[in-house]
Amino acid sequence: MDKILEGLVSSSHPLPLKRVIVRRVVESAETPLSQAQCRAMFALSTRLVLQGPDPFQRQVGRQVLEAYGRYHRAEFEAFFNRGLVLGLLQRGYGELSNRDPAILDYIQAGLRLIMSCPSVLELFELLQVEALRLVCERPAPPLCARLCQLLGDFPQCLPRGRKLSLAFCQQLVRSIAHFQSQGTREAELRLYVSQVTQVSGLLRSVWKAEPDTLLPSLQELFAVISAADTSFEPSVALASLVQHIPLQMITVLIRSLTTDPNVKDASMTQALCRMIDWLSWPLAQHVETWVIALLKGLAAVQKFTILIDVTLLKIELVFNRLWFPLVRPGALAVLSHMLLSFQHSPEAFHLIVPHVVSLVQSFKRDGLPSSTAFLMQLTELIHCMMYHYSGFPELYEPILEAVKDMPKPTEEKIKLILSQSAWTSQSSSLPSCLSRLSGKSETGKTGLINLGNTCYMNSVIQALFMATDFRRHVLSLNLNGCNSLMRKLQHLFAFLAHTQREAYAPRIFFEASRPPWFTPRSQQDCSEYLRFLLDRLHEEERTLKALSSAKTSESIMNEESQTQEAIHKAQVFAEAPCMGSEERTLIEKMFGGKLKTTICCLNCKSMSQKEEAFTDLSLAFCPPTSLENVGPKCMERSEVKDDYMVQTNTLATSPTGETPLNNLEVNGGCDTIMNEGTIKDFSTEPNSENTTNSELHKVQDNRDMSQRLVGKNTLSVTDLLNYFLAPEILSGDNKYYCEKCASLQNAEKTMQIIEEPEYLILTLLRFSYDPKCHIRRKILDNVSLPLVLELPVKRATSPLAVVSGGWSIGVEMSDIGENLAKKLKPSGADEVTCPQLVPYLLSSVVVHSGVSSESGHYYSYARNVTGSGPSGLCHQSTALSLVSPQDKLLTEESPCTVVENELDTEMPREWFLFNDSRVTFTSFQSVQKITSRFPKDTAYVLFYKKRNSTCGFNTSSANGLWVNGDPPLQKDLMDAITKDNKLYLQEQELSARTQALQAASASCSFRPNGFDDNDPPGSCGPTGGGGGGGFSTVGRLVF
């Protein structure tokens, strides 16, 4: 029968005839045959199956083998023995290689036929060994897939025992790593993917049946992808294994990988890069989940070098995956995480910027719902990155044009996304041995490191930084090549806005801006520092303008003559009665106002007037009698409940001689209150005090009267400013010398604000000089702060010459011996017109914590106020009016009600508390209650922003490139910030690796939450306020 069949299949008869005869041969399998005949039929059918030259012969071989093997099972069992199978697997069959998948097809068919025979157990044992040997030989995808199919159908052939089973899994993983597709056509690729799926499916079955093999298999997988051997690149087919790893194991595995000291940086970088390559695998699931988890894990242990290298290496590849719909979701997830977390430099984002427009246009052309959804996600991501790295119009303009029709996320949403995505915001719960990351707080704001009793500077700088329009002007200045103080302030502001550090150390700025009479590492007055700083910036800008003008007009002069000419021009410039708006310095534009003082002789009625410029008003405390006599309206305004107002401190400047900085301190008839922070004449001893006996007498009177205010109605800033603007009678020792009368006469002095500043700075004079003890005591009276106030401004109809010869920092009446009682008499000199009420919004509050000017601590509350913004920042409730008493314009509504309305509209998380390195969210309610909870903590310097004014500063540029409201940074500034951010990440990484960050190292006394209920924000311990229990503790205070 075998000879007939062999001759038939090789004959030239028609194929239909052959099939008929083959059917007869198959049917004859039921007839009894001798053992030799059966063996001959099995040999022939085996040869046809394995060596048939055409599909017909191979099909005939399978049909005959199956039929005769079924009916002659014993004979087939004897034929299909261990020797045959072993020979096929090790030597092949004739010219057929043992690595041909047909061998495994034949063996699988044979196993089905003898499944019920005892000898099959012997074959199972043989195949267990041979299967392990085969995978160790790195079979090609077709053979490996066929083997896995056989093992899947006959799991008895899988290697048994933990050792063999584990070895099989590990070797199968390495076999997959060697897979390569042999074709590029779609059909070939689909076949390749199905073969890989077959292999990974077998591994999943083994892992499920024997869980102990899973973790070693994954360790083998990591060993493969982390290998540094450049001659071998593992196949992306390994991505097919990821979907079979339980997601519950993410935490365990990531902890194991990121904290294993044996895993070198190069290995981790290589592994992460190859995992990112897996995003190209079309059917892989959860690859992006594991990639992002590993990225976060590395950030948690502060291995930033790896993250930087991998991001820069792979960001373009990930972006290119967005072109392919099958892998687009995973690629977009990884791209978003990589870009949003890479916040120290625009380098990664700028690598993909050139390709964004073409991808956006492709999505738009598709018009598919899925493409539109992805486009919206991509647009949100791009807006976040352009917001974070503004200042590159040549790069961003085409993108903005391409996505102009897409929804734009709100600024609040962008800030939230960025704050949650930064490397330094990742949870560090994985490595329990490491302390919490010292990245930026959830506020997104940067603290300032205390360099040794420099809280006075830190609080002022944060208040100036939060003066939004001023900050934007400073950042927009082109100061390249200039080493001015303004340049250093611009540098500091840029770092506060863009650094990744939790807190920045302003050493360079401190050394450049510290007044020469300030003793390093000793507590100083923040108001004095603020005035000195603003004056320095103002004078520096005037000098630079004069020098620039001199160099332009006198280019042919030698260097010496140019310098002399510049000095002369600077002097002329300083003596000029007024400057045009285009010639005003930035300090004048932001903080400069004008005050007109009028003195009327009560004998001849002649009047003398002068105008003086100011950058801040120093408000003295008014005695109770003044409140009683200013008018009933004032008393009504002062009846304010503690629950809705903020307490403030007052501080004054000591008198100075005539200097270019002549400070005009307004005592307003109150006792002279000596301010530690006075700008002295540089030609005199900085610490000298020019106090007279009358001044000392007034100080004592003021202290006594202020003490009588304790327990009475709370004063408000309204009362202090009304008192500041109230007329006063000059009589007795303070009589006015009238030139017309040519003698000392009683006179009335009034002050009016004729030009309001963009930012109104109010210093509350709280440190009074005690002549008995020769110390400055702090007045702890409660003073309420309105969120919104209206400043009375009586604009001059014709400009008057400025009598004072220079720029005035602060306001101080030259007549310092006023009679308190006489000041309270009503004015009868002339009838005044109603002033214009200019609304202001509370922007910042600098708080002094302590009981004396020689000790204590400063911190500040602040919010972003631009003057024209959402109602949350520019409260639309009825404003508090601040007008002089003679105008009788004080509204009858209680300020308590006004502030209640304002608090109802307060935006959540609008206020920030800046306490040196620490920045936290707070609320206006916390600002209100600070003094009631901690009596030594009182507001000191107040910043108010004029509402509905942007100082001529367009914060929403036409091209939309000022996406975060701030102007783009100069290239050198951006480069410096990028360099420092990289350095910071390296520092964090080094600290983590050496485990230098111990949990106990957080020696700061602040509690993470709820400190308001215990110690005040400015405290360093239970005593609070930094002042300890009294004046004897000064020597041991450290801030």
Side-chain angles (χ1 to χ4, degrees):
M1 184 68 70
D2 59 304
K3 299 296 183 182
I4 296 174
L5 182 60
E6 184 177 10
L8 175 66
V9 296
S10 61
S11 67
S12 59
H13 293 300
L15 191 59
L17 177 61
K18 291 182 180 182
R19 286 176 175 167
V20 171
I21 298 174
V22 167
R23 189 182 307 117
R24 296 286 179 87
V25 172
V26 170
E27 292 173 354
S28 66
E30 301 178 8
T31 60
L33 294 174
S34 65
Q35 187 175 1
Q37 289 176 324
C38 288
R39 189 175 185 84
M41 289 300 292
F42 294 147
L44 174 61
S45 58
T46 298
R47 185 170 70 251
L48 291 177
V49 169
L50 297 177
Q51 291 186 320
D54 54 63
F56 172 73
Q57 292 191 27
R58 293 193 291 271
Q59 182 183 8
V60 169
R62 284 191 294 269
Q63 290 176 349
V64 172
L65 181 66
E66 183 177 352
Y68 281 79
R70 186 185 313 118
Y71 289 105
H72 305 278
R73 196 177 302 274
E75 288 78 6
F76 183 73
E77 182 181 6
F79 174 81
F80 191 75
N81 56 28
R82 177 186 175 90
L84 174 66
V85 174
L86 185 60
L88 290 174
L89 292 173
Q90 294 187 353
R91 298 183 298 275
Y93 188 85
E95 297 180 357
L96 186 67
S97 169
N98 65 332
R99 301 180 70 86
D100 194 300
I103 297 288
L104 295 177
D105 286 339
Y106 176 79
I107 292 176
Q108 183 171 2
L111 289 175
R112 290 196 189 100
L113 292 173
I114 65 167
M115 192 63 188
S116 58
C117 301
S119 63
V120 74
L121 298 178
E122 184 182 11
L123 294 182
F124 285 161
E125 293 179 359
L126 172 66
L127 288 172
Q128 289 173 10
V129 177
E130 288 301 306
L132 179 58
R133 181 187 62 80
L134 272 176
V135 296
C136 289
E137 294 177 355
R138 309 291 175 254
L143 178 60
C144 195
R146 192 64 193 83
L147 173 64
C148 291
Q149 183 180 350
L150 185 152
L151 297 177
D153 291 343
F154 296 96
Q156 303 90 332
C157 298
L158 284 168
R160 296 296 176 181
R162 187 179 186 281
K163 185 175 181 181
L164 291 179
S165 180
L166 182 56
F168 175 77
C169 290
Q170 292 174 329
Q171 293 302 322
L172 194 55
V173 168
R174 288 197 171 270
S175 294
I176 298 175
H178 285 77
F179 285 0
Q180 298 296 332
S181 175
Q182 301 301 317
T184 57
R185 293 194 298 243
E186 182 178 354
E188 295 171 329
L189 292 176
R190 287 183 179 274
L191 177 61
Y192 173 64
V193 171
S194 67
Q195 292 167 348
V196 173
T197 303
Q198 182 81 45
V199 177
S200 65
L202 177 68
L203 266 175
R204 177 190 58 184
S205 301
V206 176
W207 291 341
K208 188 174 182 180
E210 299 184 47
D212 290 346
T213 62
L214 176 56
L215 190 55
S217 299
L218 298 181
Q219 291 172 340
E220 190 71 18
L221 173 62
F222 182 79
V224 170
I225 62 176
S226 62
D229 184 7
T230 57
S231 63
F232 169 68
E233 184 63 29
S235 172
V236 294
L238 289 169
S240 62
L241 299 177
V242 175
Q243 59 189 321
H244 304 312
I245 306 173
L247 292 177
Q248 301 93 309
M249 296 185 66
I250 284 184
T251 303
V252 176
L253 292 177
I254 297 303
R255 180 189 295 118
S256 175
L257 287 177
T258 55
T259 61
D260 188 348
N262 297 319
V263 178
K264 305 303 181 184
D265 283 2
S267 299
M268 183 63 76
T269 302
Q270 194 73 270
L272 187 52
C273 286
R274 285 166 174 163
M275 287 179 66
I276 292 173
D277 291 341
W278 292 352
L279 292 170
S280 304
W281 189 252
L283 298 181
Q285 298 178 19
H286 309 311
V287 171
E288 70 280 5
T289 304
W290 285 92
V291 169
I292 293 174
L294 184 53
L295 291 171
K296 289 182 176 180
L298 290 170
V301 296
Q302 306 173 45
K303 294 185 177 180
F304 301 121
T305 301
I306 298 174
L307 294 171
I308 293 172
D309 293 343
V310 170
T311 301
L312 295 178
L313 282 171
K314 293 298 181 179
I315 194 71
E316 290 178 282
L317 179 143
V318 176
F319 183 83
N320 289 334
R321 297 283 77 80
L322 297 179
W323 288 94
F324 306 100
L326 273 178
V327 299
R328 186 178 294 158
L332 184 58
V334 174
L335 179 73
S336 297
H337 180 81
M338 293 176 76
L339 285 179
L340 291 172
S341 61
F342 197 91
Q343 294 186 16
H344 68 282
S345 164
E347 188 176 0
F349 177 52
H350 287 177
L351 287 174
I352 69 163
V353 162
H355 315 295
V356 170
V357 173
S358 57
L359 183 64
V360 169
Q361 292 172 346
S362 174
F363 282 173
K364 288 184 175 181
R365 285 194 299 268
D366 284 350
L368 300 174
S370 60
S371 296
T372 303
F374 279 115
L375 179 57
M376 293 180 66
Q377 297 177 51
L378 179 63
T379 301
E380 181 177 277
L381 172 63
I382 297 302
H383 275 298
C384 288
M385 299 313 299
M386 291 191 297
Y387 176 94
H388 191 62
Y389 291 115
S390 59
F392 299 91
E394 72 282 4
L395 297 179
Y396 298 164
E397 281 178 340
I399 298 177
L400 288 170
E401 180 65 25
V403 301
K404 63 181 180 182
D405 298 330
M406 303 303 298
K408 181 180 179 180
T410 63
E411 184 173 358
E412 290 74 18
K413 184 176 182 180
I414 291 176
K415 288 181 178 179
L416 179 63
I417 292 173
L418 290 171
S419 65
Q420 292 176 343
S421 303
W423 286 332
T424 49
S425 69
Q426 304 302 327
S427 170
S428 59
S429 59
L430 292 176
S432 57
C433 59
L434 299 179
S435 65
R436 182 182 178 277
L437 277 175
S438 59
K440 275 191 176 181
S441 69
E442 60 177 347
T443 64
K445 302 296 182 183
T446 304
L448 287 171
I449 295 174
N450 194 314
L451 304 177
N453 283 326
T454 58
C455 56
Y456 66 89
M457 176 188 72
N458 292 347
S459 58
V460 165
I461 293 301
Q462 294 287 18
L464 290 174
F465 178 80
M466 294 297 285
T468 308
D469 289 344
F470 176 65
R471 178 183 73 245
R472 291 173 177 172
H473 274 86
V474 171
L475 292 176
S476 67
L477 295 174
N478 186 358
L479 300 172
N480 288 337
C482 177
N483 193 31
S484 63
L485 183 61
M486 182 65 78
R487 171 63 173 175
K488 293 180 174 63
L489 180 64
Q490 183 186 59
H491 186 276
L492 177 56
F493 277 6
F495 269 79
L496 285 177
H498 296 285
T499 185
Q500 291 277 293
R501 297 180 183 273
E502 178 188 25
Y504 181 73
R507 291 184 178 87
I508 296 177
F509 186 80
F510 172 66
E511 292 300 328
S513 64
R514 178 173 59 87
W517 61 89
F518 274 20
T519 304
R521 306 191 69 83
S522 64
Q523 186 61 281
Q524 305 293 343
D525 179 14
C526 75
S527 176
E528 181 179 3
Y529 174 79
L530 173 61
R531 291 172 177 174
F532 177 81
L533 175 62
L534 296 182
D535 181 70
R536 276 279 309 277
L537 294 171
H538 164 75
E539 293 295 340
E540 181 183 78
E541 184 176 351
R542 290 207 310 176
T543 302
L544 289 175
K545 286 182 177 180
L547 288 172
S548 176
S549 174
K551 289 180 180 179
T552 302
S553 59
E554 306 292 344
S555 58
I556 61 174
M557 299 174 63
N558 59 41
E559 183 175 352
E560 181 179 355
S561 61
Q562 286 181 1
T563 303
Q564 293 175 351
E565 182 69 15
I567 294 174
H568 172 70
K569 291 192 175 186
Q571 293 172 347
V572 173
F573 190 85
E575 295 171 358
C578 61
M579 299 173 64
S581 60
E582 69 281 353
E583 296 178 350
R584 298 175 69 198
T585 66
L586 177 58
I587 302 304
E588 289 177 303
K589 293 175 184 177
M590 292 289 103
F591 305 102
K594 285 186 180 180
L595 190 73
K596 181 172 72 174
T597 302
T598 303
I599 300 180
C600 177
C601 176
L602 297 182
N603 180 43
C604 65
K605 305 301 182 183
S606 63
M607 299 179 65
S608 172
Q609 294 182 336
K610 66 176 180 178
E611 293 181 7
E612 295 166 302
F614 68 88
T615 54
D616 78 298
L617 301 179
S618 296
L619 304 183
F621 275 83
C622 39
T625 53
S626 66
L627 293 177
E628 296 168 2
N629 292 294
V630 166
K633 296 284 187 176
C634 271
M635 288 304 297
E636 290 174 14
R637 301 294 289 183
S638 66
E639 294 173 0
V640 182
K641 296 180 181 179
D642 290 344
D643 292 342
Y644 295 100
M645 287 303 187
V646 183
Q647 189 168 339
T648 70
N649 321 343
T650 46
L651 209 89
T653 57
S654 58
T656 64
E658 284 188 324
T659 71
L661 315 170
N662 59 337
N663 284 337
L664 298 182
E665 173 194 72
V666 175
N667 294 317
C670 282
D671 314 328
T672 301
I673 300 173
M674 306 302 294
N675 185 7
E676 277 194 276
T678 316
I679 300 176
K680 310 286 185 178
D681 188 337
F682 287 88
S683 62
T684 63
E685 174 62 28
N687 292 322
S688 64
E689 299 175 359
N690 302 322
T691 57
T692 65
N693 291 332
S694 61
E695 287 177 306
L696 299 181
H697 176 69
K698 291 194 310 166
V699 171
Q700 184 62 38
D701 287 344
N702 182 53
R703 186 171 64 86
D704 295 339
M705 285 183 287
S706 296
Q707 292 298 323
R708 291 198 297 270
L709 285 176
V710 177
K712 296 187 178 182
N713 292 328
T714 302
L715 289 172
S716 71
V717 174
T718 306
D719 299 325
L720 299 185
L721 193 55
N722 285 339
Y723 182 68
F724 172 83
L725 296 173
E728 61 176 308
I729 301 299
L730 306 179
S731 61
D733 294 339
N734 295 324
K735 282 187 177 181
Y736 168 68
Y737 181 83
C738 177
E739 294 183 356
K740 185 174 181 181
C741 298
S743 62
L744 294 172
Q745 297 291 336
N746 292 338
E748 182 185 62
K749 180 173 67 175
T750 59
M751 288 182 294
Q752 299 172 343
I753 298 173
I754 60 173
E755 184 176 314
E756 75 280 8
E758 293 297 331
Y759 284 93
L760 175 64
I761 302 178
L762 302 176
T763 300
L764 307 183
L765 307 180
R766 191 173 291 275
F767 297 115
S768 62
Y769 184 75
D770 188 338
K772 294 180 180 180
C773 302
H774 299 287
I775 61 172
R776 292 175 175 81
R777 296 188 183 275
K778 184 176 180 180
I779 301 173
L780 299 174
D781 294 349
N782 190 29
V783 179
S784 60
L785 297 180
L787 276 171
V788 184
L789 61 82
E790 290 180 339
L791 182 71
V793 180
K794 296 188 178 181
R795 305 187 187 281
T797 55
S798 60
L800 297 173
V802 178
V803 176
S804 58
W807 176 250
S808 296
I809 302 291
V811 178
E812 171 193 51
M813 293 308 301
S814 58
D815 304 294
I816 59 176
E818 306 92 324
N819 184 299
L820 293 178
K822 292 184 178 180
K823 174 171 180 172
L824 306 176
K825 294 182 180 180
S827 169
D830 60 342
E831 184 178 352
V832 294
T833 59
C834 177
Q836 177 183 352
L837 299 180
V838 180
Y840 279 82
L841 305 169
L842 183 61
S843 172
S844 302
V845 180
V846 178
V847 175
H848 176 263
S849 175
V851 294
S852 75
S853 60
E854 288 82 10
S855 66
H857 179 59
Y858 290 102
Y859 57 93
S860 57
Y861 293 93
R863 60 173 177 165
N864 286 307
V865 178
T866 58
S868 58
S871 60
L873 291 181
C874 304
H875 304 276
Q876 299 300 323
S877 57
T878 305
L880 293 174
S881 301
L882 290 175
V883 297
S884 55
Q886 64 267 32
D887 299 314
K888 298 183 179 180
L889 292 176
L890 290 171
T891 61
E892 297 181 359
E893 182 181 2
S894 168
C896 172
T897 306
V898 174
V899 179
E900 278 187 290
N901 296 336
E902 292 167 354
L903 292 176
D904 290 339
T905 61
E906 184 181 350
M907 293 178 64
R909 296 194 163 191
E910 176 190 353
W911 285 88
F912 303 92
L913 170 58
F914 296 91
N915 199 328
D916 286 335
S917 300
R918 180 182 174 88
V919 186
T920 55
F921 285 116
T922 188
S923 64
F924 188 64
Q925 288 90 332
S926 297
V927 183
Q928 291 175 304
K929 297 176 182 178
I930 189 65
T931 304
S932 61
R933 292 183 177 180
F934 311 105
K936 294 189 289 269
D937 290 39
T938 49
Y940 178 31
V941 180
L942 317 176
F943 284 70
Y944 279 90
K945 173 67 178 72
K946 187 165 69 171
R947 178 187 276 177
N948 299 327
S949 171
T950 57
C951 317
F953 203 62
N954 185 10
T955 58
S956 56
S957 59
N959 58 15
L961 296 178
W962 288 25
V963 287
N964 62 351
D966 284 350
L969 296 182
Q970 304 289 335
K971 184 180 183 302
D972 60 332
L973 271 181
M974 181 60 73
D975 291 344
I977 293 170
T978 298
K979 181 179 179 180
D980 184 72
N981 282 340
K982 289 182 178 179
L983 176 62
Y984 163 70
L985 294 176
Q986 292 169 357
E987 292 169 357
Q988 292 290 90
E989 182 173 357
L990 180 61
S991 297
R993 290 176 183 277
T994 58
Q995 298 185 358
L997 294 177
Q998 301 296 328
S1001 66
S1003 57
C1004 178
S1005 64
F1006 308 113
R1007 264 70 68 191
N1009 298 296
F1011 62 81
D1012 279 347
D1013 296 329
N1014 299 288
D1015 293 336
S1019 73
C1020 286
T1023 56
F1031 304 106
S1032 62
T1033 60
V1034 174
R1036 54 186 174 84
L1037 295 178
V1038 178
F1039 291 92

